[in-house]
Amino acid sequence: MKVFEKVFLLMSFAVIGLSCQTKQTAEEKTKDSLAKCIADGMPTRASAILASQENIVEGKGSKDGMVLIKGGEFLMGADEFPDSRPMHKVSVDPFYMDEHEVTNAEFARFVKATNYKTVAERPLNPADYPGVPADKLVPGSAVFTPTAQKVSLENPLQWWNYVPGASWSQPEGKGSSIKGRENLPVVHVSYEDATAYAKWAGKRLPTEAEWEFAAQGGKGNHTYYWGDQLKPNNKWVANIYQGSFPDHNLKEDGYAAAAPVKTFPANPYGLYDMDGNVWEWCEDLYRPDYYQKSPAKNPQGPTDSYDPDEPGAVKRVQRGGSFLCSDEYCIRYKAGSRGKGEVTSGSNNLGFRCVMAAK
C-alpha cells in the first residue's frame, strides 16, 4: 500500500455496511446515502493542528449582496427521509441571506485581511498517525476523481482521493489555482473555516430552519426546491450530476464540477444555487431524531451531536446537495433532505453562505 493511501485510510471514516446503490428506495438510501455522498468515507482533518479565531476581528456586516428574507411559518422536513421526519410547522424571524454561495474572490479577501489558514492547509500531528512517516503527513483535502469505468458504489474511496496540497486556493492540489475561477464557490472549507469567515464578515451561518425556509422560496413543499419536475421545460435548472456515477458525467447542465455563482436561475426570493452546485454548512449540530422534538419557533438545532453511524464524530448539518447528486445517486439534494458533515472535514463539493439578523 502506498504511503498516501495509508494516510488516506487512516484519515477516513468507516464506510462498511452503508450503501448508495442505484434503484434503492429513499429508506434504503438513507441507511444511508448522505453518509456515502457527503462526508463519511472522505478524510477527516480532526487531527489537524488547530488555529485560533481569536485574532480575527469581527466585522460590521454589510448587507451588500444579501437578500432580505421576511420570515414566516412553513412546513419543514420531508417524509421521504428518515432523519427529516416528521414534517412539522416552523416559523423563523426575518433575516438577510447571501444571494449566492461565498466565492473564491470573497474568501481570498478574507484570507488577505487575516492571514487565516484553513484546516486543509494546516499540518497534521504525527502522534495521531502512528506508523506513517512524518514527512508524508502533508496538508491536503478530498477531491472527487471520476473512475475509469463503472464500479460498485459500495466503496467511495474509489472516487474520493486525499490530494496533497488541495485547499481552497488549489482546488485540485498543487499546480491548480483559482485564477479565472474567482466567481466559483469556495470549496475545501470546514465548518471552522466557514465560521471564521462569517465572523470576519460580521455575519453567521444559517440555522437549518432558516436555510430551508429560504430554499422553499415561499412556494411550500415540492419534490425539488424549484418544483416537482426534474427538468422544467426540459431544462436543467441546477448543477447536479447526469449520467453514470462515478465514471461518466454527461454534463447535460454544462458542468462536471462546481459552476460559477448565478449560472442557474434564482428562486423567488432571489437566491441562487439552493439546490446543487456545492453543499452548504449550517450552524446546527446534527442529530437524526431532532425533528421529533424541534421547537416550533426559530429552532437552533440540538445541544449535542449524534450520528449512529459514527457516534464519536461531531457533525453539523449541511444542506442543498452538490454537483455530485442525482436521482440515481445521493438523492439528498431533494427538498427537505438533510446532510451531515464532520466539522473539520472539507472537500471540493462543500462550501457555504452566510446570513445576518434583520434589525
Side-chain angles (χ1 to χ4, degrees), residues 230-252:
L230 179 61
K231 292 176 64 179
N233 299 317
N234 203 36
K235 293 182 179 180
W236 292 104
V237 294
N239 182 15
I240 56 176
Y241 195 98
Q242 301 91 35
S244 173
F245 187 92
D247 60 303
H248 185 53
N249 189 340
L250 296 175
K251 297 186 289 185
E252 293 177 357

Side-chain angles (χ1 to χ4, degrees), residues 131-314:
V132 179
D135 64 342
K136 302 301 182 184
L137 291 173
V138 297
S141 189
V143 177
F144 172 76
T145 306
T147 59
Q149 57 193 12
K150 187 70 176 177
V151 296
S152 167
L153 301 181
E154 289 297 321
N155 180 11
L157 299 185
Q158 295 174 104
W159 55 86
W160 283 111
N161 290 311
Y162 181 77
V163 177
S167 69
W168 75 273
S169 61
Q170 300 182 124
E172 291 80 47
K174 293 180 180 178
S176 65
S177 78
I178 58 171
K179 186 176 181 179
R181 296 192 280 183
E182 291 83 0
N183 206 36
L184 269 68
V186 66
V187 292
H188 294 298
V189 285
S190 69
Y191 170 81
E192 179 183 341
D193 302 330
T195 56
Y197 173 94
K199 178 181 178 181
W200 172 81
K203 303 177 183 181
R204 60 175 172 82
L205 295 183
T207 66
E208 185 179 12
E210 289 172 332
W211 196 99
E212 186 169 334
F213 180 84
Q216 287 189 10
K219 299 189 298 183
N221 292 87
H222 292 276
T223 305
Y224 312 99
Y225 287 117
W226 63 76
D228 292 315
Q229 292 183 323
L230 179 61
K231 292 176 64 179
N233 299 317
N234 203 36
K235 293 182 179 180
W236 292 104
V237 294
N239 182 15
I240 56 176
Y241 195 98
Q242 301 91 35
S244 173
F245 187 92
D247 60 303
H248 185 53
N249 189 340
L250 296 175
K251 297 186 289 185
E252 293 177 357
D253 59 15
Y255 297 90
V261 298
K262 295 189 175 183
T263 296
F264 295 89
N267 78 358
Y269 288 161
L271 302 170
Y272 295 85
D273 294 317
M274 299 301 282
D275 259 300
N277 217 24
V278 297
W279 284 99
E280 299 180 14
W281 285 108
C282 291
E283 182 62 33
D284 304 40
L285 290 163
Y286 174 83
R287 288 189 66 98
D289 58 354
Y290 180 64
Y291 285 9
Q292 298 171 23
K293 50 193 173 185
S294 171
K297 184 174 177 59
N298 294 321
Q300 304 294 306
T303 57
D304 65 336
S305 166
Y306 176 71
D307 178 4
D309 295 322
E310 295 182 272
V314 177

Side-chain angles (χ1 to χ4, degrees), residues 306-322:
Y306 176 71
D307 178 4
D309 295 322
E310 295 182 272
V314 177
K315 297 188 178 183
R316 300 271 177 174
V317 173
Q318 298 168 349
R319 282 301 199 110
S322 79

Side-chain angles (χ1 to χ4, degrees), residues 58-71 92-99 197-207 210-211 214 271 353-359:
E58 186 169 357
K60 296 181 180 179
S62 170
K63 297 182 180 66
D64 291 345
M66 303 190 83
V67 174
L68 175 62
I69 310 298
K70 295 182 179 179
V92 294
D93 292 336
F95 60 96
Y96 286 91
M97 178 174 256
D98 289 343
E99 63 179 352
Y197 173 94
K199 178 181 178 181
W200 172 81
K203 303 177 183 181
R204 60 175 172 82
L205 295 183
T207 66
E210 289 172 332
W211 196 99
L271 302 170
R353 77 179 74 207
C354 300
V355 299
M356 287 195 318
K359 300 177 181 179

